[in-house]
Amino acid sequence: MSVEIILFFVFSVCTLAGASLVIFSKSPIASAMSLVATFFFLAGIYVLLFAHAIAALQIIVYAGAVMVLFVLVIMLLPLKDLGPAFRFTPARWIGAFSAATILSGLLYAAMQWDEYLKNKLPLGTEATNAMSPETLSRFGTLEEIGLAIYTRWLFPFEALSLLLLAAILGAVVIAKARI
């Protein structure tokens, strides 16, 4: 096993652990800090993929700016009441069953991937990277990221910015009674 594979498994396990802490932590600030750790481990995976620009943007934009925004919104929310105790309602049972079904389908598809490639490729050939050397040399550069964001992914990019704006406005409206 190479060092890259070991680091990939370490980063992926830590990313999954951080994401789990985001979901299951009772304190919103602890969830936010777990999300920061998840962003850093994800940036480590990007570095292993030689996408250094994406890793730097992951840390600067998400672990920096977006998390500051999240912490400000958390600080504006009234967090005194804990809410109802956790109960398994029929909707939660259906949600858990649906999530388990989707997860098992994804795991089955992942296990069948090698068999799919063997059947799709002609005999005697190996699965190779479909990207040309020129495309690989441009992968992860700031120019490629900018072109992708502002051409192909412009609508989702703008929709995400509007969603974040709506979340901020919602937190301000909720906190308005306290201020």
Side-chain angles (χ1 to χ4, degrees):
M1 263 184 154
S2 68
V3 175
E4 289 88 8
I5 293 174
I6 293 170
L7 282 175
F8 174 76
F9 282 117
V10 168
F11 286 148
S12 61
V13 166
C14 291
T15 301
L16 291 173
S20 297
L21 285 174
V22 169
I23 295 170
F24 295 116
S25 179
K26 292 186 186 270
S27 167
I29 296 296
S31 290
M33 292 302 111
S34 298
L35 189 58
V36 169
T38 303
F39 288 152
F40 275 102
F41 290 124
L42 198 58
I45 292 174
Y46 289 144
V47 168
L48 289 175
L49 292 171
F50 297 104
H52 298 40
I54 297 174
L57 288 173
Q58 174 79 19
I59 291 172
I60 293 167
V61 173
Y62 288 107
V66 171
M67 284 313 300
V68 167
L69 176 72
F70 283 178
V71 171
L72 286 173
V73 170
I74 289 170
M75 288 170 43
L76 284 173
L77 291 174
L79 300 173
K80 292 178 184 167
D81 57 344
L82 296 175
F86 182 77
R87 290 178 286 144
F88 274 110
T89 61
R92 290 188 185 201
W93 280 109
I94 292 170
F97 176 74
S98 300
T101 304
I102 291 171
L103 180 63
S104 63
L106 287 173
L107 289 174
Y108 177 76
M111 289 187 291
Q112 299 297 321
W113 184 251
D114 287 335
E115 192 64 36
Y116 170 76
L117 285 179
K118 287 178 188 173
N119 291 336
K120 186 166 176 108
L121 295 174
L123 290 176
T125 61
E126 294 290 325
T128 58
N129 193 347
M131 286 196 234
S132 67
E134 179 184 309
T135 305
L136 282 174
S137 69
R138 290 190 333 241
F139 176 76
T141 63
L142 291 177
E143 180 182 1
E144 287 295 315
I145 294 169
L147 282 173
I149 287 176
Y150 292 114
T151 56
R152 182 175 179 194
W153 299 105
L154 182 63
F155 178 72
F157 183 73
E158 292 299 327
L160 180 63
S161 67
L162 289 175
L163 181 67
L164 285 173
L165 179 64
I168 293 169
L169 291 175
V172 169
V173 167
I174 291 172
K176 187 178 176 184
R178 283 191 325 159
I179 296 176

